[in-house]
Amino acid sequence: MERMIQGLPVITGPQWAGVRYFCTTRGGGAGVAPHDTLNLGLRAGDAPATVLENRRRVRAVVPSEPLWLRQVHGADVADADGGLPDEPAADASVTATPGRVLAIMVADCLPVFITDLDGTVVGAAHAGWRGLAGGVLEHTLERLRAKAPRARGWRAWVGPGIGPAAFEVGADVREAFAADGPEALSHFAPRPGLDGKWLANLPALALLRLRRAGVADAQACGLCTVSDPARFFSYRRDGVTGRMALLAWRE
């Protein structure tokens, strides 16, 4: 669902008790091509002053300074309620503190938001195929369960990312999910005439892992970053491009 928040076009999902979350688009910022306009990534080749202006615009619509991460396509999870350096090296973060804003940057990888049914804890994860296969979603959920051991249940939302018609992969990616069994491998469609190439459904693989980890209500927005250049940055499509962000917090 697309909506406007103080001049910023954003994508969000179901309204859940006690939490807020949205994913930015490429609109509403200060940048010029190929980072036009709301690039939030300092390591994407954009002018630092422009990125800081874009982050200022995002900061104006959330309750606190977001916890920006130095994402490394891994599975480490930062605890936003503890003492952290600036931009800790991690691909997910969790918090139980109201108003503490988590941030995950993406440009084809999946932004994933996880919370309990009562909205007492929130987590945000960056799930490319490496992080997904490495357990970033499961690790995030483990950290959330430690913060909310009496949680009645879990829900998750998978935001815009590379879609199943655009994510061509080789045997290495398919093999990374082989241990997940036939259901996971069913989300790889062979490319006719291209030996050793498949189209991978990354959102479906994320939903499978979430549900197996105990997230009963796991939903994906169904939006593909590659096929929608007007709204989304895409590294696979453009190479040099900006970064969007998932922002999430407890109310």
Side-chain angles (χ1 to χ4, degrees), residues 5-19:
I5 301 179
Q6 296 181 36
L8 291 183
V10 303
I11 304 297
T12 190
Q15 293 186 346
W16 289 330
V19 298

Side-chain angles (χ1 to χ4, degrees), residues 144-165:
L144 290 170
R145 284 188 168 120
K147 286 182 174 291
R150 296 179 179 83
R152 297 185 298 114
W154 299 92
R155 50 178 44 132
W157 179 78
V158 180
I162 191 167

Side-chain angles (χ1 to χ4, degrees), residues 119-191:
T120 65
V121 290
V122 299
H126 164 243
W129 74 263
R130 288 182 180 85
L132 192 59
V136 68
L137 299 183
E138 292 88 345
H139 292 174
T140 304
L141 193 56
E142 286 170 11
R143 299 293 291 271
L144 290 170
R145 284 188 168 120
K147 286 182 174 291
R150 296 179 179 83
R152 297 185 298 114
W154 299 92
R155 50 178 44 132
W157 179 78
V158 180
I162 191 167
F167 192 29
E168 182 182 287
V169 302
D172 57 331
V173 178
R174 188 173 184 269
E175 288 166 7
F177 292 91
D180 290 351
E183 188 175 359
L185 295 182
S186 73
H187 297 307
F188 291 83
R191 297 296 309 270

Side-chain angles (χ1 to χ4, degrees), residues 68-240:
W68 301 101
L69 304 176
R70 182 163 56 85
Q71 297 167 195
V72 294
H73 294 276
D76 287 344
V77 182
D79 187 342
D81 299 332
L84 289 172
D86 289 341
E87 288 198 309
D91 283 86
S93 56
V94 295
T95 183
T97 303
R100 182 67 162 120
V101 180
L102 308 181
I104 292 294
M105 285 184 294
V106 290
D108 287 335
C109 293
L110 303 175
V112 182
F113 171 62
I114 308 174
T115 186
D116 66 300
L117 297 183
D118 297 310
T120 65
V121 290
V122 299
H126 164 243
W129 74 263
R130 288 182 180 85
L132 192 59
V136 68
L137 299 183
E138 292 88 345
H139 292 174
T140 304
L141 193 56
E142 286 170 11
R143 299 293 291 271
L144 290 170
R145 284 188 168 120
K147 286 182 174 291
R150 296 179 179 83
R152 297 185 298 114
W154 299 92
R155 50 178 44 132
W157 179 78
V158 180
I162 191 167
F167 192 29
E168 182 182 287
V169 302
D172 57 331
V173 178
R174 188 173 184 269
E175 288 166 7
F177 292 91
D180 290 351
E183 188 175 359
L185 295 182
S186 73
H187 297 307
F188 291 83
R191 297 296 309 270
L194 291 175
D195 248 1
K197 295 293 183 182
W198 288 264
L199 287 174
N201 190 334
L202 198 63
L205 290 165
L207 293 177
L208 174 63
R209 280 187 161 248
L210 286 163
R211 289 167 182 155
R212 286 182 174 178
V215 180
D217 182 7
Q219 307 180 32
C221 74
L223 298 176
C224 174
T225 48
V226 179
S227 63
D228 194 345
R231 280 198 292 182
F232 302 123
F233 295 118
S234 167
Y235 183 81
R236 174 66 66 105
R237 183 188 64 231
D238 298 328
V240 179

